[in-house]
Each structure stands twice: as structure tokens, then as C-alpha cells.
Amino acid sequence: MKMRTQHTFFIILAQLLCSSIINATIGRPRGVSISMASLYQPAEDGTFTCLDGSSKIPYEYVNDDYCDCNDGTDEPGTSACPNGKFHCTNAGYVPSNILSSRVNDGVCDCCDGTDEDAGRIECVNNCKDLGKKLREEQDRTRKLQQEGFEKQKAFSEEGKRVHEEKIRRQAELEKEREILEVTVKDLETAKLEAESPETEAKDKHQKAWDELKAERQAKKESEAASVAFKELDTNGDNSIDLLEIIAHSEFDIDSNGVVSEEEAKEHLEDKERVDSDTFIKDIWPHVKDIYKKPSTEEPPPEVDPSTEARGEEAQTEQIEPPAPGEPPSPPDEVDEEGEYDDDEDEDDDNDVDEPGVNDQTVPTVPIAGVPTPGSMAGEPELIIDKPGEEKDEESMPDYDEETKKLIEAADEARKNYDEANSKLKELDNELSSIKSYLEQDYGPNREYAILQDQCFEYTDREYTYKYCPFSKGSQRPKSGGHETSLGNWGNWAGPENDKYSVQLYEKGQNCWNGPDRSVKVHLKCGLEHRLLSSSEPSRCEYAFEFETPCRCSQPAGGTAQPHDEL
């Protein structure tokens, strides 16, 4: 006390008197909460121990406007210690703690005004008004929370019901699968047994058809080779020699415009001449793609200028049509010199066919409804198929009846197997879907299952954001364009004490020269499912705010009241 000035002594004395009065009234020094009051009782020796245990001071030094403790706990009601705390009781409202530096600073920080007792300013106690507004807001919040909680309970009950239903369905499908799997195996065995004789019969038919085609092809090749041999054998000596090969320019190997003797020998396999059999067997296979048939076109006949005019006149002659009922006149005969023979043969009517003379007959093609001479005599008639009904020689003939029956049996076995196997695959797909659903974490009471297969959107000035719970998050330009993936469902990512407050969607589309996009969805209680906002706190790391009744918890019973210490 020797170091204190006289002025300070009187101030301390006055504060001690005030403190004694307050302590006698509320049982604790000014600025101390009820919960801390027991720590501010004087010891038997009249001392106060700093709360950090660093030292003891006379109890009268508490709130003497001089900081004696290192932790500032000896001055809860003054601004002497910069690290001290002043407790606002705020009766009727919410208690609070303020920094000691704000005590007696001329500003009312506590709604009850207890932080300002130096007489510099008069504080109005408005704690009751603030408490009333707080209670009204708490009532509104509680009402909304209660309404949201009722919805959350309904979602939870539905989620649990679907969960149990999925479990029952899973058990049913697993039993059904056991039976169906055996059926599929049996049908597969039956299919293989039916396909074996079918394959054997079809292979046999195919082999016979291939042999027939090969035979036909060989015959065609032989005929083509024979024709080519006759065409190349220009001198008719039943052999082809070098000169006959040289006469065909297509055998010019070096394309110099001349077939040399060496080139001709190469085509004849180094022989001077070959007979028909050797040509067909050895030569033709190598030259058939080279050989060209000689041209059969004849040059147009020369026109005699003296007859050209006559020809033009002949073209202008008109033939009178026959009179009604009369047969058309036969065309005039033309003699060997090209002149028309207008004279009738007087002996035509008396001509008698002699044996061996004029006995050539013109073959007739039968026409529907018109009998031919042979058919009238009871002879078999020659039927020529119409062009549209001709059998394609390149098409394989139909199977015989026995093979057709084997094919029908195999088709039936395949059909039965395919139907059962398809049903097994559908069953496996459903089981996989059920398993995925049952393994998904839909919240502590499966209340978030209601959000599965739903999507929500939010649009700002530039983008439309899309959020599909348990699936993905994305964005697309508001003006139109491709959708950009912000991430796929990852896991619940809330803090340890509130796991279901945040969802993480990760491994979205890669940012240029940056990480893959991701988005965290922060959930809050609301009466509807709504995507409220989107932001990008860090590059390519997005944040959605989503409200849903699923997030609502049961409010405390009764109307919430501000804590009142008095």
C-alpha cells in the first residue's frame, strides 16, 4: 500500500466498500458469473488465490483497479487487466462475457448496463426487450423445426419401410435364383445336346453343298478353259504354240507393247506348244485372269454412195395396214444380193416335204393355257422357268426333313435356355440394385433415402447448378452448352460430432492445369428440399447449400427461454 498514491487509496477504499456491498448482496465480486462465484470467496487467512495458482493476494485487492494476477483474474470488474474478462449478467436476456478493456469505456456493452458504473454514461437496461424478441424468434424457429422434424420422421419411417421391403425382396430373389440357376444349367445341357446332332447334320449338308459347288466351279473352269483353248488355237491344230500366245497383247508382261518369245514361253511354262489337256490343267489357272476373249464385233459395212439416196427413199416408204379381217402380209423375201423378191413361187402350194428335207422344227416354249403339240399327244412337256422364278445356283438348297427336325429341336432348346438365362440376368441386376441400396448410408434413421433419384437446380447470373443426392453435382452455362461434372457421390464429410451435415462429391471434370472438380453440399433444416446457393471457396472446389426436412432434429421441449442468472 505504500506504493499507491493517496488518490488511489481513496479510490480503492470506495471500490472495496462497493464491492463489499455487492458481495453481500449477490455473494460474488462484480463481473463474476454465478458459476465462478465459489472461486472468489476469501480464504480463512483473508487472501485470494489467482485462478492460475501463480500467487496469493489480500482479498481486498480484488477489483481494486490494479492488476495483481498474471492471468488478470483479480480484476473481473475493472479494466485494469488487459487479459481480464467481465461477465454481463443480462437478466432477462442471454448472459455474455466481454473484454475487461470495455469496462467503463463509455460504451454500453451489456444490455443491463453493468459494465458502465463509473458515472460517465447512463446505460438503459433493455435486456427484457431483447429477451422478448429472442423468445419470439426462438418460437418461430422451434415451430419450423418441429414442422420439419415431423416431415423428417415421415421420411425416416418411409426409408425404414423401404429398407425392410428390400431385405424381404432380396431374400425372395436369392431363393428364386437358386432354383433358376439349376434350371438354367439343365437347359444349357439340353441345348448343347440338341445342338450336337444339329451341327453334325448341318455340317454334313454344308460339306455336300461345298463339294457340289466345287464340282460346278471345276466344270465351269474346265469349260472356260476349253473355250479359251479353242479361241487361242487359231490354226485349229489342237495345240497352242508360242506364235498364238504372241498374237495376244494381254500376255505382254513388261508392258512394252510387244509379247516377246520369252514372255510367251513363260506363259506356256517354258514349252514350245501345249495340247488341250496340258493347257486346261497347267496353263489356264495362271492365265485365266489375264486372258481376254477376242472381239466378236465386226466393222460396219461400207455404204455405196449410189445406193445411199435409194436407202433414204426406202425409209420414207409407208406400208399400208391390212384391211379389217385380213391377215398381215408376210415380209418380202430378200435374195442373196439383197434385192426384194416380189414374185410369188407358183409351186409353193404344190411343195411336198420329202424325208430329210425341211424337217427341222423350231422348239416351242409352252405358254400358260396354250397346249403344245407334244402335250396334246400325251408327251411330257418341257417347262422353262420364268426368269423371276429361276433357282439361284449359288444358293444352298434346303435341308432335308430330318435335318429340319433337328434344327427345330435345337431352336426350341436355345429359346428355352435364352429365356431362362435372360430372366436370371434380370434377377441378378435387381439383386445388385437392392444390394447397392441396402449398403448406402442414408442417415442414422435412413431419412435421406427420400432424396435418392431426385435432382435439384439453382441458377445464378452465369450458371445453372444441378445437385442429384447420392449421385452427382454439375453445372452448365445459363446461356446453354455442355454440362460440366463437379463430382460424383463420395461420402458423408461432416465433422466427427455432426457427420451428416455435409456431403462430398469428388472426381469431377479436371480443371485446366488444376485438380479434379469437387463439391461439398452443406445441409440445413428447411421445410422443403431446395438448393439455395452455390459458391467456389477454392479453385475448382465448390460448395452448395441445400435445405431439407431430413436435416431437421427434434426441438427442445417447451418454449426456449434465455438463461437468467437472477
Side-chain angles (χ1 to χ4, degrees), residues 105-296:
D105 63 349
V107 178
C108 299
D109 296 290
C110 301
C111 66
D112 59 3
T114 53
D115 60 312
E116 300 293 326
D117 67 341
R120 300 178 187 175
I121 185 174
E122 182 177 351
C123 294
V124 177
N125 187 339
N126 60 349
C127 289
K128 290 185 178 180
D129 292 337
L130 293 175
K132 181 180 179 182
K133 290 181 180 179
L134 176 63
R135 286 188 290 274
E136 290 174 352
E137 181 62 28
Q138 288 177 333
D139 286 342
R140 283 194 298 271
T141 301
R142 183 180 179 280
K143 183 178 179 180
L144 291 176
Q145 190 172 2
Q146 182 63 40
E147 188 176 346
F149 177 68
E150 294 299 325
K151 290 187 176 183
Q152 187 260 14
K153 285 198 303 180
F155 296 156
S156 178
E157 291 172 2
E158 177 65 13
K160 291 177 180 178
R161 184 193 68 78
V162 173
H163 184 79
E164 294 300 323
E165 184 179 305
K166 296 283 186 183
I167 292 176
R168 288 194 297 269
R169 179 60 177 165
Q170 183 183 41
E172 293 173 0
L173 291 176
E174 286 175 347
K175 290 181 180 179
E176 184 179 345
R177 191 187 187 286
E178 291 178 3
I179 299 172
L180 185 57
E181 190 174 22
V182 174
T183 302
V184 169
K185 289 181 178 179
D186 292 342
L187 290 174
E188 184 178 19
T189 300
K191 178 177 78 74
L192 295 175
E193 291 176 352
E195 286 177 337
S196 180
E198 176 206 33
T199 301
E200 184 178 351
K202 290 173 74 174
D203 288 347
K204 182 178 179 181
H205 183 84
Q206 183 67 47
K207 181 180 179 182
W209 169 238
D210 291 341
E211 291 174 352
L212 178 59
K213 286 195 298 181
E215 183 181 341
R216 289 178 178 176
Q217 184 64 26
K219 184 178 179 181
K220 288 181 180 179
E221 290 288 340
S222 178
E223 291 174 352
S226 297
V227 171
F229 180 84
K230 291 179 181 179
E231 292 170 347
L232 286 169
D233 183 17
T234 55
N235 59 11
D237 63 351
N238 291 323
S239 66
I240 299 175
D241 56 27
L242 295 176
L243 292 177
E244 289 170 325
I245 292 295
I246 291 172
H248 281 256
S249 61
E250 64 266 25
F251 295 121
D252 179 14
I253 296 176
D254 57 10
S255 301
N256 64 352
V258 178
V259 180
S260 66
E261 184 176 338
E262 288 75 14
E263 290 173 331
K265 278 188 177 182
E266 183 172 345
H267 288 300
L268 289 182
E269 307 259 334
D270 290 331
K271 297 179 178 66
E272 296 291 333
R273 66 176 60 245
V274 294
D275 58 15
S276 176
D277 292 340
T278 303
F279 177 81
I280 293 173
K281 180 180 178 182
D282 300 331
I283 307 302
W284 178 246
H286 303 294
V287 302
K288 65 181 180 179
D289 294 330
I290 304 173
Y291 173 69
K292 295 179 181 179
K293 295 174 65 69
S295 176
T296 57

Side-chain angles (χ1 to χ4, degrees), residues 10 18 46 104 123 264 328 401 433 542:
F10 286 112
C18 291
N104 294 326
C123 294
E401 291 302 319
S433 177
Y542 297 80

Side-chain angles (χ1 to χ4, degrees), residues 3-14 64-66:
M3 297 177 61
R4 302 176 187 274
T5 63
Q6 186 177 9
H7 177 71
T8 302
F9 174 79
F10 286 112
I11 292 176
I12 293 173
L13 181 61
D64 66 349
D65 203 25
Y66 186 86

Side-chain angles (χ1 to χ4, degrees), residues 454-474:
Q454 294 194 61
C455 291
F456 307 90
E457 292 188 348
Y458 166 78
T459 301
D460 61 12
R461 290 183 299 176
E462 295 184 60
Y463 295 98
T464 293
Y465 297 89
K466 189 174 184 180
Y467 164 54
C468 302
F470 305 102
S471 178
K472 64 180 182 178
S474 63

